[in-house]
């Protein structure tokens, strides 16, 4: 089994019967409940946990987990990451990819300049942004670069098999 993918986080306790608030990282917040089973990190390992119920509460979500029936039990889980197996995601067509597939890809421009490796992606109001950790010997003294993920304008190609993203971007920008 591959490394689990974090899809949310357990928030504060809600009520006295063990319910917890849920911070979903999925596009549709309720979509987090479509993934089963949930994995919760305990120390350095993951353990499976079952959701027995969930509902909307105000603008947020709350859930009930199996064998968590008291507020004190639920408090032990606040702040825990919610993950699912990578295999639970739907397979995508060859020309599509998940954000997690871009982490670790090498970024090069159309002239062959090596920008470094993608460490994360950020969602902004206008477009997504690649966060690229620059090489230690970067010619322009950069430690990190933010590259807009604008397909056809900046992003020229994404090759997941070879872990390379080709961009049309000036290295001194």
């Amino acid at each position: 089994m591959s490394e689990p993918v974090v899809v949310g986080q357990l928030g504060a306790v809600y009520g006295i019967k063990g319910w917890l608030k849920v911070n979903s990282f999925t596009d549709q917040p309720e979509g987090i409940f479509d993934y089963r089973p949930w994995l919760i990190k305990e120390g350095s390992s993951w353990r499976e946990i079952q959701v027995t119920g969930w509902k909307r509460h105000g603008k947020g979500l709350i859930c009930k987990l199996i064998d968590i029936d008291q507020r004190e039990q639920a408090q032990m889980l606040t702040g825990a990451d919610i993950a699912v197996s990578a295999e639970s995601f739907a397979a995508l067509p060859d020309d599509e990819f998940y954000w997690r597939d871009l982490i670790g890809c090498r970024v090069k421009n159309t002239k062959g300049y090596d920008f470094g490796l993608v460490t994360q992606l950020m969602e902004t109001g206008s477009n997504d942004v690649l966060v690229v950790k620059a090489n230690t010997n970067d010619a322009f003294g950069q430690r990190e670069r933010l590259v807009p993920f604008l397909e056809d304008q900046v992003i020229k190609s994404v090759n997941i098999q070879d872990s390379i993203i080709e961009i049309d971007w000036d290295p001194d920008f």
Side-chain angles (χ1 to χ4, degrees):
M1 185 167 115
S2 60
E3 181 68 21
V5 178
V6 175
V7 293
Q9 188 176 51
L10 292 172
V13 175
Y14 176 79
I16 61 171
K17 295 187 178 181
W19 286 74
L20 288 152
K21 292 181 181 181
V22 176
N23 300 314
S24 176
F25 303 156
T26 58
D27 281 342
Q28 299 298 320
E30 298 89 359
I32 194 168
F33 299 107
D34 293 338
Y35 297 106
R36 308 261 174 157
W38 279 7
L39 303 170
I40 303 293
K41 194 156 199 171
E42 288 185 332
S44 61
S45 62
W46 295 93
R47 80 169 166 109
E48 273 188 29
I49 196 158
Q50 290 182 340
V51 177
T52 59
W54 70 273
K55 58 185 170 182
R56 279 206 150 282
H57 180 70
K59 293 183 180 178
L61 301 167
I62 58 174
C63 75
K64 179 77 174 77
L65 303 173
I66 196 164
D67 297 329
I68 307 293
D69 299 317
Q70 297 174 358
R71 182 177 183 86
E72 294 74 22
Q73 291 173 302
Q75 282 177 324
M76 303 287 286
L77 295 175
T78 59
D81 286 336
I82 301 166
V84 295
S85 165
E87 288 80 21
S88 61
F89 291 104
L92 296 175
D94 288 339
D95 62 338
E96 293 183 20
F97 41 82
Y98 289 108
W99 271 20
R100 65 182 165 84
D101 298 332
L102 301 178
I103 305 296
C105 283
R106 182 149 307 280
V107 178
K108 294 184 176 186
N109 72 2
T110 54
K111 295 178 180 146
Y113 185 83
D114 187 345
F115 282 71
L117 300 175
V118 176
T119 58
Q120 71 181 55
L121 284 98
M122 294 188 314
E123 189 173 359
T124 66
S126 57
N127 56 271
D128 298 332
V129 175
L130 295 173
V131 178
V132 181
K133 181 179 180 198
N135 298 316
T136 55
N137 59 350
D138 185 80
F140 297 93
Q142 298 290 325
R143 289 189 187 147
E144 180 178 86
R145 288 192 172 86
L146 303 178
V147 179
F149 198 91
L150 298 170
E151 292 186 270
D152 299 327
Q153 287 178 279
V154 176
I155 306 297
K156 294 303 178 185
S157 68
V158 176
N159 183 333
I160 297 299
Q161 288 74 28
D162 295 333
S163 297
I164 295 176
I165 300 172
E166 184 182 41
I167 61 175
D168 186 6
W169 196 253
D170 196 4
D172 66 352
F173 185 70

